[in-house]
Amino acid sequence: MAHVARDKKKLLARVRRIAGQVNALEKALQAGTDCADVLVQIAAAKGAMHALMMEVMAGHLAEHVAAEPREARRVAEAAAVVDLLRRYSR
């Protein structure tokens, strides 16, 4: 996954922000924060994870599906993405 290695710094920054959001969520739950505020924090963390997934997936599609010269490999990579999306959407 060349795109993950190439974008490592940016992706790790996203992961660290997500970790911060999850830590804030844990603290909010420990502190007994109002459920509406907890729900906002959960939604923010979920959105950040979704954005990370979309960024990695876009790189994967560009490099391992669209730019793949071998048809059999391109078909296999596309099928793997479809399988991932099926599992993700549950």
Side-chain angles (χ1 to χ4, degrees):
M1 280 201 180
H3 59 99
V4 173
R6 182 185 60 240
D7 298 335
K8 184 166 123 176
K9 186 175 180 179
K10 181 173 56 170
L11 295 173
L12 285 172
R14 281 184 178 266
V15 168
R16 289 182 185 112
R17 279 194 300 275
I18 292 165
Q21 289 173 316
V22 172
N23 286 334
L25 176 59
E26 180 181 7
K27 288 177 185 176
L29 289 169
Q30 288 176 339
T33 303
D34 181 67
C35 64
D37 294 331
V38 169
L39 287 168
V40 168
Q41 288 182 313
I42 292 169
K46 180 183 178 195
M49 284 293 282
H50 180 76
L52 173 63
M53 183 173 177
M54 292 298 104
E55 186 166 336
V56 173
M57 189 178 300
H60 181 80
L61 288 170
E63 291 192 21
H64 301 288
V65 179
E68 175 56 55
R70 297 167 293 176
E71 183 179 1
R73 184 73 181 155
R74 191 171 52 248
V75 169
E77 289 292 339
V81 170
V82 169
D83 184 53
L84 172 69
L85 290 171
R86 283 189 179 125
R87 283 186 273 138
Y88 179 71
S89 65
R90 291 183 189 168

